[in-house]
Short mmCIF file of all heavy atoms in Angstrom, two decimals:
data_model
loop_
_atom_site.label_atom_id
_atom_site.label_comp_id
_atom_site.label_asym_id
_atom_site.label_seq_id
_atom_site.Cartn_x
_atom_site.Cartn_y
_atom_site.Cartn_z
N GLN A 23 92.65 84.25 105.47
CA GLN A 23 93.72 84.92 106.38
C GLN A 23 93.34 86.43 106.61
O GLN A 23 92.72 87.08 105.68
CB GLN A 23 95.10 84.76 105.84
CG GLN A 23 95.60 83.31 105.96
CD GLN A 23 97.12 83.26 105.58
OE1 GLN A 23 97.53 83.97 104.73
NE2 GLN A 23 97.77 82.39 106.24
N ARG A 24 93.79 86.96 107.67
CA ARG A 24 93.66 88.45 107.88
C ARG A 24 94.54 89.18 106.86
O ARG A 24 95.77 88.75 106.72
CB ARG A 24 94.00 88.73 109.37
CG ARG A 24 93.68 90.18 109.71
CD ARG A 24 94.04 90.42 111.20
NE ARG A 24 93.21 89.50 112.15
CZ ARG A 24 93.14 89.66 113.43
NH1 ARG A 24 93.83 90.67 113.94
NH2 ARG A 24 92.32 88.80 114.11
N GLU A 25 93.98 90.26 106.42
CA GLU A 25 94.83 90.95 105.28
C GLU A 25 94.72 92.44 105.64
O GLU A 25 93.79 92.97 106.23
CB GLU A 25 94.21 90.69 103.97
CG GLU A 25 92.79 91.16 103.67
CD GLU A 25 92.30 90.99 102.33
OE1 GLU A 25 93.07 90.48 101.47
OE2 GLU A 25 91.21 91.39 102.00
N LEU A 26 95.79 93.08 105.19
CA LEU A 26 95.89 94.55 105.27
C LEU A 26 94.89 95.22 104.32
O LEU A 26 94.81 94.87 103.19
CB LEU A 26 97.31 95.01 104.99
CG LEU A 26 97.41 96.64 104.94
CD1 LEU A 26 97.24 97.23 106.37
CD2 LEU A 26 98.73 97.02 104.28
N VAL A 27 94.16 96.20 104.89
CA VAL A 27 93.25 97.02 104.11
C VAL A 27 93.86 98.34 103.81
O VAL A 27 94.06 98.77 102.65
CB VAL A 27 91.89 97.25 104.83
CG1 VAL A 27 90.94 98.20 103.98
CG2 VAL A 27 91.22 95.92 105.07
N ALA A 28 94.32 98.96 104.91
CA ALA A 28 94.99 100.42 104.73
C ALA A 28 95.65 100.62 106.02
O ALA A 28 95.32 100.25 107.07
CB ALA A 28 93.93 101.41 104.36
N ARG A 29 96.76 101.49 105.94
CA ARG A 29 97.41 101.88 107.05
C ARG A 29 97.96 103.39 106.81
O ARG A 29 98.17 103.73 105.57
CB ARG A 29 98.55 100.97 107.48
CG ARG A 29 99.57 100.72 106.43
CD ARG A 29 100.61 99.73 106.78
NE ARG A 29 101.53 99.44 105.80
CZ ARG A 29 102.32 98.32 105.74
NH1 ARG A 29 102.19 97.40 106.77
NH2 ARG A 29 103.14 98.06 104.79
N ILE A 30 98.16 104.05 107.84
CA ILE A 30 98.66 105.48 107.80
C ILE A 30 99.75 105.72 108.84
O ILE A 30 99.53 105.40 109.95
CB ILE A 30 97.43 106.42 107.86
CG1 ILE A 30 97.90 107.88 107.68
CG2 ILE A 30 96.65 106.21 109.11
CD1 ILE A 30 96.65 108.81 107.51
N SER A 31 100.78 106.28 108.40
CA SER A 31 101.82 106.66 109.32
C SER A 31 101.51 108.03 110.03
O SER A 31 100.67 108.72 109.59
CB SER A 31 103.17 106.71 108.57
OG SER A 31 103.51 105.52 108.05
N ARG A 32 102.27 108.26 111.05
CA ARG A 32 102.08 109.48 111.76
C ARG A 32 102.25 110.76 110.87
O ARG A 32 101.58 111.75 111.17
CB ARG A 32 102.99 109.57 112.96
CG ARG A 32 102.72 110.71 113.88
CD ARG A 32 103.39 110.56 115.20
NE ARG A 32 103.00 111.65 116.18
CZ ARG A 32 101.90 111.59 117.00
NH1 ARG A 32 101.17 110.44 116.91
NH2 ARG A 32 101.60 112.54 117.74
N ASP A 33 103.12 110.64 109.77
CA ASP A 33 103.27 111.75 108.99
C ASP A 33 102.29 111.87 107.82
O ASP A 33 102.33 112.69 107.00
CB ASP A 33 104.74 111.71 108.36
CG ASP A 33 104.93 110.49 107.35
OD1 ASP A 33 103.95 109.75 107.31
OD2 ASP A 33 105.97 110.36 106.91
N GLY A 34 101.34 110.90 107.84
CA GLY A 34 100.17 110.99 106.91
C GLY A 34 100.38 110.07 105.61
O GLY A 34 99.45 109.99 104.86
N SER A 35 101.50 109.45 105.48
CA SER A 35 101.64 108.58 104.30
C SER A 35 100.83 107.36 104.57
O SER A 35 100.66 106.89 105.63
CB SER A 35 103.15 108.20 104.23
OG SER A 35 103.64 107.56 105.37
N THR A 36 100.30 106.87 103.43
CA THR A 36 99.33 105.79 103.45
C THR A 36 99.70 104.62 102.49
O THR A 36 100.38 104.76 101.49
CB THR A 36 97.92 106.34 102.96
OG1 THR A 36 98.04 106.96 101.66
CG2 THR A 36 97.49 107.42 103.99
N ASN A 37 99.16 103.50 102.83
CA ASN A 37 99.16 102.26 101.93
C ASN A 37 97.81 101.63 101.84
O ASN A 37 97.13 101.62 102.91
CB ASN A 37 100.19 101.30 102.58
CG ASN A 37 101.65 101.71 102.58
OD1 ASN A 37 102.11 102.23 103.56
ND2 ASN A 37 102.19 101.65 101.38
N TYR A 38 97.42 101.13 100.82
CA TYR A 38 96.14 100.53 100.55
C TYR A 38 96.41 99.18 99.91
O TYR A 38 97.21 99.03 99.02
CB TYR A 38 95.26 101.30 99.66
CG TYR A 38 94.81 102.67 100.27
CD1 TYR A 38 95.56 103.86 100.10
CD2 TYR A 38 93.64 102.76 101.12
CE1 TYR A 38 95.08 105.09 100.65
CE2 TYR A 38 93.21 103.92 101.63
CZ TYR A 38 93.95 105.08 101.45
OH TYR A 38 93.47 106.29 102.04
N ALA A 39 95.56 98.27 100.25
CA ALA A 39 95.36 97.02 99.38
C ALA A 39 94.87 97.38 98.04
O ALA A 39 94.03 98.34 97.85
CB ALA A 39 94.42 96.05 100.10
N ASP A 40 95.35 96.75 97.01
CA ASP A 40 94.93 96.98 95.73
C ASP A 40 93.47 96.89 95.48
O ASP A 40 92.83 97.72 94.69
CB ASP A 40 95.64 96.12 94.70
CG ASP A 40 97.13 96.37 94.49
OD1 ASP A 40 97.54 97.47 94.86
OD2 ASP A 40 97.80 95.42 94.06
N SER A 41 92.92 96.02 96.29
CA SER A 41 91.35 95.84 95.98
C SER A 41 90.56 96.93 96.60
O SER A 41 89.33 96.98 96.24
CB SER A 41 90.97 94.53 96.81
OG SER A 41 91.26 94.57 98.15
N VAL A 42 91.06 97.83 97.36
CA VAL A 42 90.28 98.93 97.92
C VAL A 42 90.69 100.29 97.42
O VAL A 42 90.05 101.31 97.66
CB VAL A 42 90.26 98.96 99.37
CG1 VAL A 42 89.93 97.56 99.94
CG2 VAL A 42 91.58 99.31 99.94
N LYS A 43 91.80 100.37 96.60
CA LYS A 43 92.29 101.56 96.17
C LYS A 43 91.21 102.27 95.27
O LYS A 43 90.49 101.66 94.47
CB LYS A 43 93.46 101.39 95.26
CG LYS A 43 94.71 101.17 96.05
CD LYS A 43 95.96 100.90 95.12
CE LYS A 43 97.22 100.66 95.90
NZ LYS A 43 98.38 100.34 95.08
N GLY A 44 91.04 103.64 95.61
CA GLY A 44 89.97 104.39 94.92
C GLY A 44 88.63 104.35 95.53
O GLY A 44 87.73 105.04 95.11
N ARG A 45 88.41 103.38 96.48
CA ARG A 45 87.12 103.27 97.09
C ARG A 45 87.19 103.55 98.58
O ARG A 45 86.20 104.11 99.13
CB ARG A 45 86.60 101.83 96.92
CG ARG A 45 86.43 101.39 95.48
CD ARG A 45 85.71 100.03 95.36
NE ARG A 45 86.46 98.96 95.96
CZ ARG A 45 85.97 98.19 96.97
NH1 ARG A 45 84.82 98.42 97.45
NH2 ARG A 45 86.80 97.28 97.45
N PHE A 46 88.26 103.18 99.26
CA PHE A 46 88.45 103.42 100.66
C PHE A 46 89.49 104.51 100.91
O PHE A 46 90.40 104.82 100.05
CB PHE A 46 88.93 102.20 101.28
CG PHE A 46 88.02 100.99 101.48
CD1 PHE A 46 86.84 100.99 100.71
CD2 PHE A 46 88.35 99.94 102.19
CE1 PHE A 46 86.00 99.96 100.76
CE2 PHE A 46 87.43 98.85 102.26
CZ PHE A 46 86.25 98.87 101.53
N ALA A 47 89.31 105.26 102.05
CA ALA A 47 90.18 106.31 102.40
C ALA A 47 90.45 106.25 103.90
O ALA A 47 89.48 106.26 104.65
CB ALA A 47 89.58 107.70 102.03
N ILE A 48 91.76 106.09 104.28
CA ILE A 48 92.01 106.14 105.65
C ILE A 48 92.59 107.50 106.04
O ILE A 48 93.20 108.29 105.27
CB ILE A 48 93.23 105.10 105.88
CG1 ILE A 48 93.35 104.86 107.41
CG2 ILE A 48 94.46 105.41 105.18
CD1 ILE A 48 94.20 103.63 107.73
N SER A 49 92.21 107.83 107.33
CA SER A 49 92.66 109.15 107.84
C SER A 49 92.87 108.98 109.38
O SER A 49 92.38 107.96 109.92
CB SER A 49 91.71 110.32 107.55
OG SER A 49 90.46 110.01 108.04
N ARG A 50 93.52 109.97 109.96
CA ARG A 50 93.81 109.90 111.40
C ARG A 50 93.72 111.30 112.04
O ARG A 50 94.04 112.29 111.35
CB ARG A 50 95.03 109.23 111.73
CG ARG A 50 96.28 109.89 111.25
CD ARG A 50 97.55 108.98 111.41
NE ARG A 50 98.12 108.91 112.75
CZ ARG A 50 99.01 108.11 113.16
NH1 ARG A 50 99.59 107.33 112.30
NH2 ARG A 50 99.39 108.20 114.44
N ASP A 51 93.44 111.30 113.30
CA ASP A 51 93.45 112.57 114.12
C ASP A 51 94.37 112.25 115.20
O ASP A 51 94.12 111.60 116.19
CB ASP A 51 92.06 112.88 114.53
CG ASP A 51 92.04 114.26 115.33
OD1 ASP A 51 93.04 114.60 115.95
OD2 ASP A 51 90.99 114.90 115.32
N ASN A 52 95.66 112.76 115.08
CA ASN A 52 96.71 112.45 116.05
C ASN A 52 96.28 112.95 117.45
O ASN A 52 96.68 112.44 118.49
CB ASN A 52 98.10 112.97 115.69
CG ASN A 52 98.58 112.22 114.49
OD1 ASN A 52 98.29 111.00 114.28
ND2 ASN A 52 99.29 112.93 113.61
N ALA A 53 95.61 114.16 117.51
CA ALA A 53 95.29 114.69 118.77
C ALA A 53 94.19 113.86 119.54
O ALA A 53 94.20 113.83 120.77
CB ALA A 53 94.75 116.08 118.46
N LYS A 54 93.52 113.15 118.81
CA LYS A 54 92.41 112.25 119.34
C LYS A 54 92.86 110.78 119.41
O LYS A 54 92.01 109.89 119.83
CB LYS A 54 91.13 112.44 118.65
CG LYS A 54 90.54 113.86 118.73
CD LYS A 54 89.20 113.94 117.91
CE LYS A 54 88.60 115.38 118.10
NZ LYS A 54 87.33 115.42 117.30
N ASN A 55 93.97 110.50 118.89
CA ASN A 55 94.53 109.03 118.86
C ASN A 55 93.39 108.23 118.13
O ASN A 55 93.11 107.13 118.56
CB ASN A 55 94.80 108.51 120.21
CG ASN A 55 96.04 108.98 120.80
OD1 ASN A 55 96.81 109.61 120.05
ND2 ASN A 55 96.28 108.79 122.03
N THR A 56 92.89 108.71 116.99
CA THR A 56 91.77 108.06 116.30
C THR A 56 92.19 107.93 114.86
O THR A 56 92.74 108.76 114.24
CB THR A 56 90.54 108.92 116.41
OG1 THR A 56 90.20 109.11 117.84
CG2 THR A 56 89.30 108.28 115.72
N VAL A 57 91.76 106.73 114.32
CA VAL A 57 91.93 106.47 112.92
C VAL A 57 90.51 106.08 112.33
O VAL A 57 89.70 105.49 113.02
CB VAL A 57 92.89 105.29 112.75
CG1 VAL A 57 92.43 103.94 113.35
CG2 VAL A 57 93.26 105.16 111.22
N TYR A 58 90.36 106.51 111.13
CA TYR A 58 89.00 106.38 110.40
C TYR A 58 89.33 105.56 109.11
O TYR A 58 90.40 105.64 108.50
CB TYR A 58 88.51 107.77 110.11
CG TYR A 58 88.31 108.69 111.15
CD1 TYR A 58 89.21 109.63 111.53
CD2 TYR A 58 87.23 108.56 112.17
CE1 TYR A 58 89.19 110.53 112.62
CE2 TYR A 58 87.04 109.41 113.16
CZ TYR A 58 88.04 110.39 113.46
OH TYR A 58 87.92 111.21 114.58
N LEU A 59 88.25 104.89 108.70
CA LEU A 59 88.34 104.30 107.44
C LEU A 59 86.87 104.52 106.69
O LEU A 59 85.99 104.02 107.17
CB LEU A 59 88.49 102.78 107.57
CG LEU A 59 88.63 101.99 106.19
CD1 LEU A 59 89.97 102.40 105.49
CD2 LEU A 59 88.69 100.56 106.37
N GLN A 60 86.98 105.44 105.77
CA GLN A 60 85.81 105.66 104.91
C GLN A 60 85.74 104.73 103.76
O GLN A 60 86.68 104.60 102.98
CB GLN A 60 85.85 107.07 104.40
CG GLN A 60 84.72 107.48 103.46
CD GLN A 60 83.42 107.57 104.28
OE1 GLN A 60 83.31 108.08 105.37
NE2 GLN A 60 82.37 106.97 103.68
N MET A 61 84.62 103.89 103.72
CA MET A 61 84.49 102.86 102.81
C MET A 61 83.37 103.26 101.88
O MET A 61 82.18 103.30 102.33
CB MET A 61 84.26 101.52 103.48
CG MET A 61 85.37 101.19 104.35
SD MET A 61 85.18 99.50 105.12
CE MET A 61 83.71 99.71 106.07
N ASN A 62 83.66 103.48 100.62
CA ASN A 62 82.71 103.79 99.52
C ASN A 62 82.54 102.65 98.54
O ASN A 62 83.48 101.86 98.40
CB ASN A 62 83.00 105.07 98.90
CG ASN A 62 83.03 106.27 99.89
OD1 ASN A 62 82.25 106.30 100.83
ND2 ASN A 62 83.94 107.18 99.71
N SER A 63 81.44 102.72 97.76
CA SER A 63 81.26 101.72 96.66
C SER A 63 81.52 100.30 97.23
O SER A 63 82.28 99.60 96.59
CB SER A 63 82.18 102.02 95.57
OG SER A 63 81.95 103.32 95.05
N LEU A 64 80.99 99.88 98.38
CA LEU A 64 81.21 98.65 98.89
C LEU A 64 80.72 97.50 98.04
O LEU A 64 79.67 97.62 97.37
CB LEU A 64 80.61 98.61 100.28
CG LEU A 64 81.33 99.36 101.43
CD1 LEU A 64 80.52 99.65 102.59
CD2 LEU A 64 82.59 98.52 101.81
N LYS A 65 81.44 96.43 98.10
CA LYS A 65 81.12 95.20 97.35
C LYS A 65 80.97 94.03 98.32
O LYS A 65 81.52 94.04 99.46
CB LYS A 65 82.30 94.88 96.39
CG LYS A 65 82.72 96.02 95.49
CD LYS A 65 83.99 95.66 94.62
CE LYS A 65 84.31 96.74 93.74
NZ LYS A 65 85.57 96.39 92.93
N PRO A 66 80.27 93.04 97.90
CA PRO A 66 80.09 91.88 98.77
C PRO A 66 81.39 91.27 99.23
O PRO A 66 81.46 90.77 100.37
CB PRO A 66 79.27 90.92 97.95
CG PRO A 66 78.46 91.79 97.02
CD PRO A 66 79.39 92.98 96.71
N GLU A 67 82.45 91.31 98.39
CA GLU A 67 83.66 90.75 98.86
C GLU A 67 84.42 91.62 99.82
O GLU A 67 85.46 91.20 100.30
CB GLU A 67 84.67 90.63 97.51
CG GLU A 67 84.74 91.87 96.65
CD GLU A 67 83.78 91.75 95.46
OE1 GLU A 67 82.60 91.46 95.66
OE2 GLU A 67 84.23 92.15 94.35
N ASP A 68 83.89 92.73 100.20
CA ASP A 68 84.45 93.54 101.24
C ASP A 68 83.88 93.03 102.67
O ASP A 68 84.33 93.55 103.73
CB ASP A 68 84.10 95.00 101.22
CG ASP A 68 84.68 95.66 99.96
OD1 ASP A 68 85.88 95.43 99.72
OD2 ASP A 68 83.99 96.49 99.27
#
């Protein structure tokens, strides 16, 4: 099934799946209506 990886509110608060905490970072640029997901230490299960 589709699962949440990470999300970020307009005020910058974030939520992460336990499986990606400490490895992934979500950020956003409100002026550009853009969201980013930096994924480090990737594993085959990602």
Side-chain angles (χ1 to χ4, degrees):
Q23 289 188 329
R24 191 174 298 188
E25 62 176 359
L26 173 69
V27 177
R29 60 187 174 197
I30 182 168
S31 299
R32 190 167 183 86
D33 64 1
S35 58
T36 58
N37 294 99
Y38 292 94
D40 288 342
S41 59
V42 307
K43 284 180 181 177
R45 300 188 297 121
F46 291 11
I48 191 169
S49 60
R50 64 190 281 175
D51 184 332
N52 291 329
K54 297 180 179 179
N55 285 348
T56 301
V57 62
Y58 306 97
L59 185 68
Q60 178 66 44
M61 304 186 293
N62 300 324
S63 302
L64 283 160
K65 303 176 181 180
E67 50 264 44
D68 294 318

